[in-house]
């Protein structure tokens, strides 16, 4: 109930920060599980990192997170810092895939990472997915499939 929530949190803003903190912890756990999973090769790990969303956050309306950005920009920025934690690890797997010959050597790592970051930011800061009847998860999976096809070594 609303009364119970406000015995733990002082304001809506504090609730949002609490959610962002929880998301960051869950995301870190998921990232570590991907990294430690020896059954996955470099490309599979990279793809999972690019798609990374803890499963408990599926179907909670992330395609409308842009509303949070508009109404609570400070808390949104805090959440986005949690979301961007995984990019460095993804970049490491991108480099490893190039060294292993699984990813094309002629791709620009900064361009690939900018495409991923830019698309995720677009999804989260605009209503593009919502207006087109797509969930955040669907949009992100489609983006990753397109990028993975483009960077894979033939």
């Amino acid at each position: 109930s609303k009364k119970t929530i406000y015995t733990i949190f002082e304001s809506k803003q504090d609730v949002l920060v609490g959610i962002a903190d929880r998301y960051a912890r869950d995301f870190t756990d998921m990232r570590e599980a991907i990294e430690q999973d020896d059954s996955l090769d470099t490309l599979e790990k990279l793809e999972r990192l690019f798609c990374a969303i803890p499963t408990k956050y599926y179907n909670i309306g992330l395609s409308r997170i842009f509303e949070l950005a508009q109404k609570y920009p400070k808390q949104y920025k805090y959440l986005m810092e949690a979301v961007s934690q995984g990019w460095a690890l993804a970049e490491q797997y991108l480099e490893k895939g190039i060294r292993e010959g699984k990813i094309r050597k002629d791709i620009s790592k900064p361009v690939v990472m900018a495409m991923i970051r830019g698309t995720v930011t677009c999804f989260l800061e605009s209503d593009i997915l919502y207006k087109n009847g797509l969930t955040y998860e669907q949009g992100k999976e489609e983006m990753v499939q397109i990028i993975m096809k483009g960077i894979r070594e033939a």
Side-chain angles (χ1 to χ4, degrees), residues 23-78:
Y23 180 88
R25 282 193 306 275
D26 292 342
F27 188 75
T28 298
D29 292 346
M30 189 181 81
R31 238 184 28 242
E32 288 171 358
I34 291 169
E35 194 168 9
Q36 294 169 7
D37 189 342
D38 294 332
S39 71
L40 301 174
D41 70 11
T42 301
L43 285 180
E44 291 168 322
K45 287 183 179 188
L46 181 62
E47 189 169 342
R48 290 200 184 177
L49 286 167
F50 282 162
C51 272
I53 305 167
T55 52
K56 68 172 80 170
Y57 297 92
Y58 274 40
N59 303 317
I60 63 165
L62 287 173
S63 62
R64 294 188 64 170
I65 199 96
F66 65 92
E67 294 172 352
L68 176 64
Q70 295 165 353
K71 294 178 184 174
Y72 302 101
K74 187 176 176 183
Q75 288 72 24
Y76 174 79
K77 185 176 182 218
Y78 186 79

Side-chain angles (χ1 to χ4, degrees), residues 5-36:
I5 287 175
Y6 289 112
T7 61
I8 300 168
F9 300 100
E10 291 183 21
S11 66
K12 282 183 188 177
Q13 291 84 351
D14 289 344
V15 172
L16 296 172
V17 168
I19 291 168
D21 285 342
R22 180 59 190 252
Y23 180 88
R25 282 193 306 275
D26 292 342
F27 188 75
T28 298
D29 292 346
M30 189 181 81
R31 238 184 28 242
E32 288 171 358
I34 291 169
E35 194 168 9
Q36 294 169 7

Side-chain angles (χ1 to χ4, degrees), residues 15-148:
V15 172
L16 296 172
V17 168
I19 291 168
D21 285 342
R22 180 59 190 252
Y23 180 88
R25 282 193 306 275
D26 292 342
F27 188 75
T28 298
D29 292 346
M30 189 181 81
R31 238 184 28 242
E32 288 171 358
I34 291 169
E35 194 168 9
Q36 294 169 7
D37 189 342
D38 294 332
S39 71
L40 301 174
D41 70 11
T42 301
L43 285 180
E44 291 168 322
K45 287 183 179 188
L46 181 62
E47 189 169 342
R48 290 200 184 177
L49 286 167
F50 282 162
C51 272
I53 305 167
T55 52
K56 68 172 80 170
Y57 297 92
Y58 274 40
N59 303 317
I60 63 165
L62 287 173
S63 62
R64 294 188 64 170
I65 199 96
F66 65 92
E67 294 172 352
L68 176 64
Q70 295 165 353
K71 294 178 184 174
Y72 302 101
K74 187 176 176 183
Q75 288 72 24
Y76 174 79
K77 185 176 182 218
Y78 186 79
L79 176 62
M80 289 308 293
E81 287 170 7
V83 168
S84 43
Q85 287 178 355
W87 299 135
L89 184 59
E91 195 163 351
Q92 290 171 13
Y93 277 103
L94 185 62
E95 291 168 0
K96 185 177 180 188
I98 292 169
R99 284 193 311 273
E100 293 175 352
K102 295 180 178 185
I103 294 177
R104 295 179 15 218
K105 292 185 184 335
D106 64 338
I107 63 143
S108 167
K109 292 177 294 208
V111 170
V112 172
M113 294 309 297
M115 288 170 61
I116 299 262
R117 284 186 185 109
T119 304
V120 167
T121 300
C122 176
F123 287 170
L124 293 174
E125 291 184 358
S126 75
D127 60 358
I128 185 83
L129 295 173
Y130 182 70
K131 280 186 175 177
N132 288 284
L134 295 169
T135 66
Y136 176 73
E137 295 81 8
Q138 289 169 324
K140 201 166 181 191
E141 284 180 27
E142 188 169 337
M143 170 205 63
V144 169
Q145 292 306 312
I146 292 167
I147 288 174
M148 292 303 291

